[in-house]
Every structure is written in structure tokens, then in C-alpha cells.
Amino acid sequence: MSGLKLAALYGFYPHQLGFCGPQKKSEKKVLLEYLSGKRISEQKIKKILGAFRGAFSYYKLIAKSNRIEDPFDGMVVKAYWIGNQLLEKVPIDSLKEMIIKEFAKRKKIHPVSKAHHSFHVLVIGSVTGRIVLEGKLLDVCRISWGKVKERDKNGIIIEYQPLQKKNKRYFLGEPIDKFVFWDKNFIPKIKIGDWISIHWNHAIQILNKKDLTNLKKYTKITIDSLND
């Protein structure tokens, strides 16, 4: 999957809800058509996704740190949403500098922090001011993972570990069943036993073993940093 399509998939649902990205109806329609398979110029999609202030700032940082010219390179986009080795080459000072420059938030950032979506959700939070990320919304906004148990025409049942907080400490709870929506136009072939990523209660993509390992790894790094 191209980095551009991956960026569109992960950004689509919060964009439709009005929480991030440009909010013209025409732009929402274009992304929907693009993900549904309609031929649309890459430049048009890049212009829309480049206005996703939060995610695009991380794409640029990860790309620059790894000497990759295109911020929508597939490995760059995957590094932010799922996690991969590119995150290891992002200096913590560069991450801190980007946060201050792009988001004007002088937050305490743990030295092990990575330029991963879990870090943005749990440490930085919303940068548009259209939503306050707290409580159960943190679990909905983070990229979680789950194993498919059942399917029906409206969605799927997965087993996943919810993000919880107790005594000011974050952790992943015991596995529970959860219903998530499934758009077959975006990912037509989900089967029982597949591991999938979830964003805003929607199935996003099927995860291979390496991606699943990385998503768990970098989410754990973020959670552990908050508890340190």
C-alpha cells in the first residue's frame, strides 16, 4: 500500500468527524472517493493530507531525520501510525523542537519518546482545538489492534486490550470483545483470525506479524514513558 493511501486511511475517520484536517465538504468527498478507488491525482490528495497539521508535521520530521525526500513515503507514514525502524533515527531534540515550533506546547517530553501516533495522542493531544482528548477518547483515538472473532454486514467483533488508567498510571487492560465498523470498500478481505488496526472504532488495515509487533512496541514505549 502506498504511503499516500495509508495516510488517507488513518486520517479519514477523524477527518470525517471534523477533528482534524481541512473541513470543506469537497475535500471530505475527494478523500472518500480516493479511498473507494476513484482515480484522483496524487497532487490533489497530497494537498489535502498536507493540511493535516498534526500528522504531516511528524511525516516531515521522520522523513528529514532519515534523509527521505518525500514525507508521504510509505515507510515514513507507516512509522508514524504503526511504528518501524525509522523512528529510531529521529533525535529526541528534533522531536522536542518540532513540538514547540508546530504546536506551541512546552510539554515535558520523556527522553525515550518516539515520533509515533501514540505519543501524539497521549502526550500532545489535539492540536486543532476541535476536540479534547481525554478519558475514553484516548483509547478511541490511539491506533489499537485486535484479532477478528466474528464478522457481519455492518462490522466485526474483535478481541483487543483497552487503554485504561488507574492511580495516574496508564496500562492496557485484559482482553475484551469490541465491535468495530468495517468499510468493505476500503479493506474488502478481512477474515476470522486476522489482526487489524483500529482508529476511531473503524477497521483500518490488516496487520502482518512485523507491523503488529511494531505497533505493540511503540505503544508500550509511550505508555511506559508516561508512567516513569
Side-chain angles (χ1 to χ4, degrees):
M1 186 184 298
S2 72
L4 200 59
K5 186 170 184 180
L6 200 63
L9 270 173
Y10 279 99
F12 179 75
Y13 292 108
H15 182 232
Q16 293 290 303
L17 291 168
F19 301 148
C20 61
Q23 290 298 302
K24 290 182 180 179
K25 289 183 179 180
S26 60
E27 292 163 327
K28 291 185 177 184
K29 182 181 178 183
V30 167
L31 277 190
L32 174 59
E33 292 175 341
Y34 172 67
L35 289 173
S36 298
K38 186 174 180 179
R39 292 177 67 87
I40 298 172
S41 75
E42 287 193 354
Q43 288 306 313
K44 193 170 187 177
I45 300 300
K46 284 184 177 182
K47 183 177 179 181
I48 293 173
L49 294 177
F52 280 60
R53 184 180 165 209
F56 192 59
S57 296
Y58 287 91
Y59 300 160
K60 290 188 293 182
L61 173 65
I62 295 167
K64 181 179 180 181
S65 299
N66 286 273
R67 298 182 179 179
I68 296 173
E69 185 176 346
D70 182 9
F72 288 109
D73 176 89
M75 289 295 288
V76 170
V77 175
K78 182 179 283 190
Y80 174 62
W81 293 104
I82 300 296
N84 60 35
Q85 67 272 22
L86 298 191
L87 296 183
E88 303 301 329
K89 293 186 178 181
V90 180
I92 187 64
D93 288 343
S94 296
L95 177 60
K96 291 178 180 178
E97 182 180 349
M98 185 273 283
I99 297 302
I100 293 172
K101 180 181 177 181
E102 300 290 339
F103 309 137
K105 290 191 174 184
R106 293 183 176 275
K107 284 187 171 287
K108 183 180 178 181
I109 298 176
H110 196 284
V112 304
S113 298
K114 304 296 182 183
H116 188 249
H117 183 258
S118 61
F119 164 82
H120 185 72
V121 171
L122 297 177
V123 178
I124 305 303
S126 173
V127 297
T128 64
R130 300 174 196 155
I131 185 175
V132 177
L133 288 176
E134 58 185 21
K136 292 183 178 180
L137 286 180
L138 293 173
D139 191 43
V140 175
C141 187
R142 77 177 176 106
I143 307 304
S144 55
W145 57 89
K147 191 173 186 178
V148 178
K149 296 180 67 177
E150 300 176 31
R151 303 179 304 172
D152 63 31
K153 63 180 181 180
N154 296 314
I156 53 183
I157 302 294
I158 62 167
E159 182 179 80
Y160 95 119
Q161 291 178 272
L163 178 70
Q164 298 180 346
K165 187 178 182 181
K166 185 177 182 180
N167 298 326
K168 298 182 178 181
R169 295 183 66 83
Y170 288 96
F171 62 97
L172 295 179
E174 292 298 316
I176 61 172
D177 288 353
K178 175 185 175 75
F179 173 86
V180 296
F181 296 99
W182 172 24
D183 191 322
K184 297 178 182 65
N185 290 319
F186 294 177
I187 39 173
K189 297 180 181 180
I190 292 179
K191 62 182 184 296
I192 305 298
D194 281 343
W195 285 91
I196 62 169
S197 58
I198 305 102
H199 198 204
W200 287 96
N201 294 323
H202 285 77
I204 303 299
Q205 67 171 149
I206 298 170
L207 299 172
N208 60 35
K209 186 176 181 180
K210 185 175 181 180
D211 289 342
L212 177 61
T213 297
N214 280 330
L215 181 54
K216 289 180 177 180
K217 172 184 175 179
Y218 288 102
T219 300
K220 185 177 186 299
I221 287 173
T222 298
I223 292 174
D224 288 348
S225 73
L226 291 171
N227 295 332
D228 191 352

